[in-house]
Amino acid sequence: MAVALLTSKRIEADRLAAAQVAAPYEPWPLNVRLQIVSASADLTPEVAALARADIGRAMLSHWGREALATLYITHDRMRPLIAGAADAAAPADQRAFLDLLRRETGAGS
């Protein structure tokens, strides 16, 4: 389902939701969904809400936080979605993400 999203010209909320149900936490499909959302020119409110759920899932793992840090640094329009997920994350996950982001950006050095 993630590959089907890659080949579509526009993200449709129902297709993204189906892809999330099929593989909610699996690294490759989750990362593909994050990349698709970050590359999208226009996010509908429905797609943004689904993307927030994926961002929250990615915040739970080290690899996911690394992917989110990269997206945060390279895609300005993803920052509000990622920052919101970081704010809502458990304190340990939030701290781990912020530490990773600081290392990646050289902040605090």
Side-chain angles (χ1 to χ4, degrees), residues 9-11 15-16 18 27 33 35 41 43 51 54-55 58 64 69 73 79 84-86 93 101 104 107:
K9 297 201 185 288
R10 187 171 164 268
I11 301 174
R15 292 179 83 184
L16 181 56
R33 293 192 307 268
Q35 297 301 322
L43 295 180
D54 271 343
I55 292 166
I73 293 165
R79 288 181 182 168
D93 293 329
L101 194 57
E104 293 292 320

Side-chain angles (χ1 to χ4, degrees), residues 6-71:
L6 274 174
T7 60
S8 66
K9 297 201 185 288
R10 187 171 164 268
I11 301 174
E12 295 174 16
D14 60 339
R15 292 179 83 184
L16 181 56
Q20 287 176 325
V21 169
Y25 292 93
E26 287 79 358
W28 187 84
L30 177 52
N31 193 30
V32 168
R33 293 192 307 268
L34 292 171
Q35 297 301 322
I36 292 165
V37 168
S38 69
S40 176
D42 182 35
L43 295 180
T44 65
E46 296 83 12
V47 170
L50 292 167
R52 277 191 286 281
D54 271 343
I55 292 166
R57 285 189 273 276
M59 194 66 67
L60 299 174
S61 66
H62 180 73
W63 74 263
R65 289 187 294 271
E66 285 181 339
L68 292 175
T70 299
L71 291 175

Side-chain angles (χ1 to χ4, degrees), residues 63-88:
W63 74 263
R65 289 187 294 271
E66 285 181 339
L68 292 175
T70 299
L71 291 175
Y72 188 91
I73 293 165
T74 60
H75 292 81
D76 291 348
R77 58 183 216 69
M78 290 294 289
R79 288 181 182 168
L81 290 172
I82 295 170
D87 288 342

